[in-house]
Amino acid sequence: MIKSILIFNNHGKPRLIRFYQFFPEDMQQQIIRETFHLVSKRDDNVCNFLEGGSLIGGSDYKLIYRHYATLYFVFCVDSCESELGILDLIQVFVETLDKCFENVCELDLIFHVDKVHYILQQVVMGGMVLETNMNEIVAQVENQNRLEKSEGGLSAAPARAVSAVKNMNLPEIPRNINIGDINIKVPNLSPFV
């Protein structure tokens, strides 16, 4: 079972963090730092899996990672998972990101974090692998994009809200209020009229 997925850059800044086992936030930060130090100090010509750090479970867990350009993709798994299977899963995930973002880079993970999480959820959910067929994952992402466009997406929400308020049938606000001998003129306060 996959315990966590960590993506960080060459300087140790987290770009995507997903834990499938509960850890308090301060412990998560320590795990990220320890994992970065374990992975980043390794040479490029050594194998891509090693024993888990002391914080994540020691020898009961394995860190399986790939280093692409400026990003480390690290999967922490228990001893039941195949190292080569997880390396292949990382490759599928990165290739899917590459297809969805047309030459993915670190900035895509920063500015499109919701889409990256959606793609990850198509691959892994609850620590279990759901899908390894890249074409199927890309098709699901494209379906989600079409759905968002048909609904106008989040960017259209403020305009739809203003339009809905304009179209509301509210009673007319009185412009002149007469109380005995006092006559009060009410200014037009609505920006929609």
Side-chain angles (χ1 to χ4, degrees), residues 96 100 118 122 133-146:
T96 303
C100 292
Y118 181 78
Q122 298 304 306
N133 183 338
M134 183 174 37
N135 295 327
E136 187 65 33
I137 298 164
V138 170
Q140 289 299 322
V141 171
E142 289 171 353
N143 287 341
Q144 180 67 23
N145 289 341
R146 278 194 294 278

Side-chain angles (χ1 to χ4, degrees), residues 158-170 190-193:
R160 287 196 312 262
V162 168
S163 175
V165 169
K166 281 183 181 178
N167 295 330
M168 290 175 63
N169 291 325
L170 297 175
S190 174
F192 303 114
V193 178

